[in-house]
Amino acid sequence: MSDHVTIRSYSAADRKAVLTLAIAAWQPVFDAMKGSVLPYVYEAFYPHGWEQRQRADIAAFLDAAHDATWIAECRGTAAGFVGITLHPEDRMGEITVIAVDPAFQRMGIADRLMTWAEERIREAGMVMVMVETGGDPGHAAARAAYEAHGFQRWPVARYFKPL
């Protein structure tokens, strides 16, 4: 199915579709995450709900990096998107955000978007690419997708303590 997908630059006309598909894509992730992370951490990060925070974060990214965001379009519909950030001081590009609408998942679109992003990062002269995700059960599918795409996990530990 991914051969029916085209990747094109993001435009302001895509904003509503991107925000809608991002929330739909991350609904099951946050549903699973809420029960598996420390409650005080979840509440601190999402005091008004994860949807509001995610929508604001994605909107801010689109405003700041609209020229580093691309849309995967399938049958005239925004099926997914990817955004990158370059870190020249580390010679690294980052896949900052990626999501695929649930109606288009498991069709190879995320893999196509990651390949597209890697090509843009390589063209910018970077020598490596990074993507981050959660270690909780809700992010298991994302971790599997990144590992299947050839990413290797970096051992990072993040600790929290309530005050």
Side-chain angles (χ1 to χ4, degrees):
M1 176 55 99
S2 68
D3 44 322
H4 293 93
V5 174
T6 57
I7 299 177
R8 60 173 176 76
S9 294
Y10 167 83
S11 76
D14 296 311
R15 186 182 187 86
K16 182 177 178 185
V18 166
L19 292 171
T20 299
L21 83 82
I23 297 301
W26 292 322
Q27 177 77 51
V29 174
F30 280 92
D31 286 349
M33 184 175 65
K34 187 171 186 177
S36 64
V37 298
L38 297 165
Y40 68 90
V41 174
Y42 190 93
E43 289 301 319
F45 285 170
Y46 311 112
H48 305 291
W50 71 267
E51 296 97 335
Q52 182 178 347
R53 169 75 183 263
Q54 285 300 108
R55 193 176 304 275
D57 287 351
I58 297 302
F61 181 83
L62 294 173
D63 291 343
H66 55 84
D67 58 343
T69 304
W70 296 272
I71 304 296
E73 195 169 72
C74 186
R75 300 185 299 263
T77 300
F81 73 102
V82 65
I84 66 169
T85 303
L86 299 178
H87 302 280
E89 68 281 5
D90 297 319
R91 298 177 26 200
M92 177 182 75
E94 176 182 359
I95 296 176
T96 311
V97 63
I98 184 169
V100 176
D101 187 301
F104 294 95
Q105 291 178 359
R106 301 220 168 285
M107 296 179 181
I109 294 171
D111 193 62
R112 291 269 308 270
L113 285 167
M114 284 188 280
T115 298
W116 180 270
E118 287 174 3
E119 290 169 359
R120 307 293 75 78
I121 291 166
R122 187 178 297 108
E123 288 170 358
M126 303 299 107
V127 299
M128 66 179 156
V129 61
M130 175 194 70
V131 64
E132 283 188 71
T133 193
D136 60 281
H139 287 89
R143 290 191 306 276
Y146 301 147
E147 290 170 13
H149 195 77
F151 284 89
Q152 296 174 320
R153 190 172 186 170
W154 175 273
V156 173
R158 188 177 275 182
Y159 294 90
F160 294 89
K161 177 182 172 184
L163 298 176

